[in-house]
mmCIF file of all heavy atoms in Angstrom:
data_model
loop_
_atom_site.group_PDB
_atom_site.id
_atom_site.type_symbol
_atom_site.label_atom_id
_atom_site.label_comp_id
_atom_site.label_asym_id
_atom_site.label_seq_id
_atom_site.Cartn_x
_atom_site.Cartn_y
_atom_site.Cartn_z
ATOM 1 N N MET A 5 174.165 81.441 61.517
ATOM 2 C CA MET A 5 175.532 81.047 61.149
ATOM 3 C C MET A 5 175.664 81.434 59.686
ATOM 4 O O MET A 5 174.970 81.326 58.909
ATOM 5 C CB MET A 5 175.490 79.433 61.191
ATOM 6 C CG MET A 5 176.764 78.833 60.894
ATOM 7 S SD MET A 5 176.756 76.992 61.129
ATOM 8 C CE MET A 5 178.433 76.619 60.542
ATOM 9 N N THR A 6 176.945 82.001 59.506
ATOM 10 C CA THR A 6 177.372 82.412 58.220
ATOM 11 C C THR A 6 178.528 81.687 57.743
ATOM 12 O O THR A 6 179.373 81.180 58.506
ATOM 13 C CB THR A 6 177.647 83.945 58.211
ATOM 14 O OG1 THR A 6 178.676 84.202 59.091
ATOM 15 C CG2 THR A 6 176.412 84.756 58.631
ATOM 16 N N ALA A 7 178.641 81.554 56.400
ATOM 17 C CA ALA A 7 179.831 80.911 55.852
ATOM 18 C C ALA A 7 180.355 81.707 54.603
ATOM 19 O O ALA A 7 179.563 82.324 53.978
ATOM 20 C CB ALA A 7 179.440 79.402 55.460
ATOM 21 N N THR A 8 181.576 81.652 54.384
ATOM 22 C CA THR A 8 182.181 82.364 53.208
ATOM 23 C C THR A 8 182.645 81.325 52.142
ATOM 24 O O THR A 8 183.195 80.393 52.504
ATOM 25 C CB THR A 8 183.354 83.226 53.625
ATOM 26 O OG1 THR A 8 183.003 84.066 54.700
ATOM 27 C CG2 THR A 8 184.031 83.919 52.493
ATOM 28 N N TYR A 9 182.120 81.622 50.980
ATOM 29 C CA TYR A 9 182.444 80.753 49.819
ATOM 30 C C TYR A 9 183.224 81.550 48.860
ATOM 31 O O TYR A 9 182.869 82.604 48.467
ATOM 32 C CB TYR A 9 181.206 80.167 49.225
ATOM 33 C CG TYR A 9 180.383 79.289 50.095
ATOM 34 C CD1 TYR A 9 179.391 79.823 50.910
ATOM 35 C CD2 TYR A 9 180.623 77.885 50.168
ATOM 36 C CE1 TYR A 9 178.617 79.064 51.820
ATOM 37 C CE2 TYR A 9 179.842 77.113 51.058
ATOM 38 C CZ TYR A 9 178.903 77.660 51.934
ATOM 39 O OH TYR A 9 178.142 76.957 52.732
ATOM 40 N N VAL A 10 184.340 81.015 48.377
ATOM 41 C CA VAL A 10 185.152 81.616 47.379
ATOM 42 C C VAL A 10 184.969 80.898 46.037
ATOM 43 O O VAL A 10 185.201 79.662 45.954
ATOM 44 C CB VAL A 10 186.621 81.537 47.777
ATOM 45 C CG1 VAL A 10 187.563 82.267 46.562
ATOM 46 C CG2 VAL A 10 186.925 82.327 49.071
ATOM 47 N N LEU A 11 184.392 81.553 45.001
ATOM 48 C CA LEU A 11 184.112 80.887 43.719
ATOM 49 C C LEU A 11 185.448 81.038 42.857
ATOM 50 O O LEU A 11 185.955 82.117 42.758
ATOM 51 C CB LEU A 11 183.003 81.713 43.047
ATOM 52 C CG LEU A 11 181.767 81.793 43.890
ATOM 53 C CD1 LEU A 11 180.558 82.554 43.057
ATOM 54 C CD2 LEU A 11 181.223 80.460 44.373
ATOM 55 N N THR A 12 185.901 79.926 42.321
ATOM 56 C CA THR A 12 187.155 79.837 41.711
ATOM 57 C C THR A 12 186.980 79.472 40.196
ATOM 58 O O THR A 12 188.034 79.673 39.435
ATOM 59 C CB THR A 12 188.099 78.817 42.384
ATOM 60 O OG1 THR A 12 187.436 77.478 42.329
ATOM 61 C CG2 THR A 12 188.269 79.244 43.710
ATOM 62 N N GLU A 13 185.824 79.015 39.679
ATOM 63 C CA GLU A 13 185.671 78.629 38.408
ATOM 64 C C GLU A 13 184.639 79.507 37.599
ATOM 65 O O GLU A 13 183.541 79.688 38.034
ATOM 66 C CB GLU A 13 185.178 77.173 38.261
ATOM 67 C CG GLU A 13 185.194 76.588 36.890
ATOM 68 C CD GLU A 13 184.881 75.108 36.841
ATOM 69 O OE1 GLU A 13 184.859 74.446 37.904
ATOM 70 O OE2 GLU A 13 184.749 74.515 35.729
ATOM 71 N N SER A 14 185.147 79.989 36.416
ATOM 72 C CA SER A 14 184.223 80.719 35.598
ATOM 73 C C SER A 14 183.436 79.830 34.632
ATOM 74 O O SER A 14 184.006 79.026 33.914
ATOM 75 C CB SER A 14 185.053 81.710 34.749
ATOM 76 O OG SER A 14 184.248 82.274 33.784
ATOM 77 N N PHE A 15 182.142 79.963 34.785
ATOM 78 C CA PHE A 15 181.231 79.183 33.852
ATOM 79 C C PHE A 15 180.892 79.977 32.601
ATOM 80 O O PHE A 15 180.359 79.380 31.687
ATOM 81 C CB PHE A 15 180.048 78.670 34.642
ATOM 82 C CG PHE A 15 180.286 77.532 35.509
ATOM 83 C CD1 PHE A 15 180.760 77.765 36.826
ATOM 84 C CD2 PHE A 15 180.258 76.279 35.118
ATOM 85 C CE1 PHE A 15 181.022 76.765 37.691
ATOM 86 C CE2 PHE A 15 180.484 75.215 35.907
ATOM 87 C CZ PHE A 15 180.887 75.546 37.280
ATOM 88 N N ARG A 16 180.847 81.268 32.796
ATOM 89 C CA ARG A 16 180.399 82.099 31.622
ATOM 90 C C ARG A 16 181.216 81.966 30.489
ATOM 91 O O ARG A 16 180.885 81.989 29.269
ATOM 92 C CB ARG A 16 180.279 83.605 32.003
ATOM 93 C CG ARG A 16 179.437 84.457 31.250
ATOM 94 C CD ARG A 16 179.141 85.772 31.840
ATOM 95 N NE ARG A 16 178.062 86.406 31.078
ATOM 96 C CZ ARG A 16 177.554 87.556 31.473
ATOM 97 N NH1 ARG A 16 178.063 88.182 32.565
ATOM 98 N NH2 ARG A 16 176.604 88.069 30.918
ATOM 99 N N GLN A 17 182.604 81.844 30.607
ATOM 100 C CA GLN A 17 183.520 81.707 29.547
ATOM 101 C C GLN A 17 184.091 80.261 29.523
ATOM 102 O O GLN A 17 185.260 79.996 29.213
ATOM 103 C CB GLN A 17 184.682 82.706 29.722
ATOM 104 C CG GLN A 17 184.330 84.190 29.261
ATOM 105 C CD GLN A 17 183.691 84.839 30.411
ATOM 106 O OE1 GLN A 17 183.875 84.556 31.622
ATOM 107 N NE2 GLN A 17 182.868 85.839 30.034
ATOM 108 N N GLN A 18 183.182 79.393 29.903
ATOM 109 C CA GLN A 18 183.730 77.960 30.049
ATOM 110 C C GLN A 18 184.291 77.297 28.799
ATOM 111 O O GLN A 18 185.105 76.514 28.805
ATOM 112 C CB GLN A 18 182.531 77.142 30.564
ATOM 113 C CG GLN A 18 182.868 75.831 31.165
ATOM 114 C CD GLN A 18 181.708 75.198 31.963
ATOM 115 O OE1 GLN A 18 180.566 75.371 31.549
ATOM 116 N NE2 GLN A 18 182.027 74.402 32.899
ATOM 117 N N GLU A 19 183.703 77.726 27.625
ATOM 118 C CA GLU A 19 184.170 77.129 26.408
ATOM 119 C C GLU A 19 185.431 77.742 25.827
ATOM 120 O O GLU A 19 185.972 77.339 24.807
ATOM 121 C CB GLU A 19 182.946 77.384 25.325
ATOM 122 C CG GLU A 19 181.687 76.576 25.723
ATOM 123 C CD GLU A 19 180.631 76.785 24.735
ATOM 124 O OE1 GLU A 19 180.861 77.596 23.762
ATOM 125 O OE2 GLU A 19 179.581 76.183 24.871
ATOM 126 N N GLY A 20 185.911 78.860 26.436
ATOM 127 C CA GLY A 20 187.137 79.519 25.907
ATOM 128 C C GLY A 20 188.139 79.710 27.041
ATOM 129 O O GLY A 20 188.151 80.845 27.600
ATOM 130 N N ARG A 21 188.895 78.742 27.258
ATOM 131 C CA ARG A 21 189.871 78.855 28.514
ATOM 132 C C ARG A 21 190.850 79.905 28.297
ATOM 133 O O ARG A 21 191.362 80.595 29.251
ATOM 134 C CB ARG A 21 190.476 77.478 28.743
ATOM 135 C CG ARG A 21 189.502 76.420 29.197
ATOM 136 C CD ARG A 21 188.817 76.690 30.605
ATOM 137 N NE ARG A 21 187.944 75.703 30.967
ATOM 138 C CZ ARG A 21 187.268 75.881 32.108
ATOM 139 N NH1 ARG A 21 187.305 76.930 32.838
ATOM 140 N NH2 ARG A 21 186.444 74.767 32.543
ATOM 141 N N VAL A 22 191.377 80.035 27.061
ATOM 142 C CA VAL A 22 192.366 81.094 26.843
ATOM 143 C C VAL A 22 191.752 82.378 27.092
ATOM 144 O O VAL A 22 192.416 83.274 27.694
ATOM 145 C CB VAL A 22 192.897 80.959 25.280
ATOM 146 C CG1 VAL A 22 193.840 82.087 25.015
ATOM 147 C CG2 VAL A 22 193.594 79.683 25.072
ATOM 148 N N PHE A 23 190.596 82.674 26.516
ATOM 149 C CA PHE A 23 189.921 83.985 26.797
ATOM 150 C C PHE A 23 189.719 84.198 28.255
ATOM 151 O O PHE A 23 189.838 85.290 28.776
ATOM 152 C CB PHE A 23 188.577 83.993 25.970
ATOM 153 C CG PHE A 23 187.909 85.324 26.140
ATOM 154 C CD1 PHE A 23 188.523 86.490 25.795
ATOM 155 C CD2 PHE A 23 186.598 85.358 26.433
ATOM 156 C CE1 PHE A 23 187.922 87.784 25.798
ATOM 157 C CE2 PHE A 23 185.911 86.665 26.455
ATOM 158 C CZ PHE A 23 186.613 87.800 26.115
ATOM 159 N N ALA A 24 189.261 83.158 28.989
ATOM 160 C CA ALA A 24 189.053 83.256 30.396
ATOM 161 C C ALA A 24 190.248 83.684 31.135
ATOM 162 O O ALA A 24 190.258 84.506 32.076
ATOM 163 C CB ALA A 24 188.522 81.937 31.034
ATOM 164 N N GLY A 25 191.453 83.219 30.744
ATOM 165 C CA GLY A 25 192.772 83.575 31.387
ATOM 166 C C GLY A 25 193.063 84.976 31.056
ATOM 167 O O GLY A 25 193.588 85.625 31.954
ATOM 168 N N ILE A 26 192.742 85.347 29.819
ATOM 169 C CA ILE A 26 192.992 86.837 29.509
ATOM 170 C C ILE A 26 192.213 87.665 30.384
ATOM 171 O O ILE A 26 192.686 88.761 30.912
ATOM 172 C CB ILE A 26 192.808 87.123 28.023
ATOM 173 C CG1 ILE A 26 193.747 86.321 27.097
ATOM 174 C CG2 ILE A 26 192.631 88.551 27.625
ATOM 175 C CD1 ILE A 26 193.469 86.438 25.660
ATOM 176 N N LEU A 27 190.859 87.336 30.609
ATOM 177 C CA LEU A 27 190.018 88.178 31.408
ATOM 178 C C LEU A 27 190.522 88.197 32.823
ATOM 179 O O LEU A 27 190.381 89.316 33.416
ATOM 180 C CB LEU A 27 188.589 87.584 31.343
ATOM 181 C CG LEU A 27 187.800 87.750 30.112
ATOM 182 C CD1 LEU A 27 186.486 87.094 30.236
ATOM 183 C CD2 LEU A 27 187.610 89.198 29.680
ATOM 184 N N ASN A 28 190.929 87.144 33.389
ATOM 185 C CA ASN A 28 191.480 87.145 34.786
ATOM 186 C C ASN A 28 192.731 88.102 34.940
ATOM 187 O O ASN A 28 192.814 88.785 35.889
ATOM 188 C CB ASN A 28 191.921 85.793 35.094
ATOM 189 C CG ASN A 28 190.668 84.888 35.420
ATOM 190 O OD1 ASN A 28 189.586 85.498 35.863
ATOM 191 N ND2 ASN A 28 190.687 83.568 35.233
ATOM 192 N N ARG A 29 193.611 88.107 33.910
ATOM 193 C CA ARG A 29 194.803 88.856 33.935
ATOM 194 C C ARG A 29 194.363 90.281 33.824
ATOM 195 O O ARG A 29 194.888 91.278 34.556
ATOM 196 C CB ARG A 29 195.831 88.502 32.887
ATOM 197 C CG ARG A 29 196.468 87.193 33.272
ATOM 198 C CD ARG A 29 197.605 86.825 32.318
ATOM 199 N NE ARG A 29 197.212 86.496 30.977
ATOM 200 C CZ ARG A 29 196.791 85.304 30.695
ATOM 201 N NH1 ARG A 29 196.774 84.241 31.544
ATOM 202 N NH2 ARG A 29 196.431 85.062 29.413
ATOM 203 N N ALA A 30 193.346 90.655 32.935
ATOM 204 C CA ALA A 30 192.906 91.997 32.663
ATOM 205 C C ALA A 30 192.223 92.469 33.957
ATOM 206 O O ALA A 30 192.435 93.743 34.273
ATOM 207 C CB ALA A 30 191.921 92.050 31.544
ATOM 208 N N ARG A 31 191.608 91.647 34.667
ATOM 209 C CA ARG A 31 190.886 92.127 35.877
ATOM 210 C C ARG A 31 191.887 92.479 36.983
ATOM 211 O O ARG A 31 191.559 93.394 37.718
ATOM 212 C CB ARG A 31 189.987 90.854 36.409
ATOM 213 C CG ARG A 31 189.248 91.182 37.701
ATOM 214 C CD ARG A 31 188.383 89.985 37.952
ATOM 215 N NE ARG A 31 189.020 88.727 38.046
ATOM 216 C CZ ARG A 31 189.634 88.159 39.151
ATOM 217 N NH1 ARG A 31 189.719 88.957 40.185
ATOM 218 N NH2 ARG A 31 190.204 87.143 38.957
ATOM 219 N N ARG A 32 193.037 91.885 36.957
ATOM 220 C CA ARG A 32 194.022 92.173 38.003
ATOM 221 C C ARG A 32 195.081 93.207 37.490
ATOM 222 O O ARG A 32 195.935 93.535 38.210
ATOM 223 C CB ARG A 32 194.736 90.978 38.460
ATOM 224 C CG ARG A 32 193.894 89.950 38.989
ATOM 225 C CD ARG A 32 194.809 88.790 39.684
ATOM 226 N NE ARG A 32 195.714 88.179 38.811
ATOM 227 C CZ ARG A 32 195.517 87.123 38.000
ATOM 228 N NH1 ARG A 32 194.330 86.491 38.071
ATOM 229 N NH2 ARG A 32 196.415 86.574 37.264
ATOM 230 N N GLY A 33 194.749 93.802 36.271
ATOM 231 C CA GLY A 33 195.620 94.733 35.724
ATOM 232 C C GLY A 33 197.074 94.213 35.202
ATOM 233 O O GLY A 33 197.990 94.836 35.241
ATOM 234 N N ARG A 34 196.978 92.835 34.814
ATOM 235 C CA ARG A 34 198.231 92.193 34.517
ATOM 236 C C ARG A 34 198.146 91.653 33.052
ATOM 237 O O ARG A 34 198.711 90.539 32.767
ATOM 238 C CB ARG A 34 198.540 91.086 35.500
ATOM 239 C CG ARG A 34 198.759 91.598 36.816
ATOM 240 C CD ARG A 34 198.974 90.352 37.868
ATOM 241 N NE ARG A 34 199.153 90.804 39.184
ATOM 242 C CZ ARG A 34 199.284 90.041 40.296
ATOM 243 N NH1 ARG A 34 199.284 88.680 40.002
ATOM 244 N NH2 ARG A 34 199.467 90.588 41.374
ATOM 245 N N ALA A 35 197.388 92.336 32.182
ATOM 246 C CA ALA A 35 197.279 91.907 30.803
ATOM 247 C C ALA A 35 198.831 91.993 30.153
ATOM 248 O O ALA A 35 199.474 92.867 30.440
ATOM 249 C CB ALA A 35 196.268 92.674 29.987
#
Side-chain angles (χ1 to χ4, degrees):
M5 182 176 178
T6 61
T8 300
Y9 297 90
V10 179
L11 306 181
T12 60
E13 185 173 356
S14 170
F15 285 88
R16 197 169 199 178
Q17 286 81 27
Q18 199 169 26
E19 297 177 357
R21 295 297 182 183
V22 174
F23 184 52
I26 291 173
L27 289 178
N28 285 331
R29 288 187 290 277
R31 178 172 54 84
R32 301 194 302 269
R34 298 177 180 175

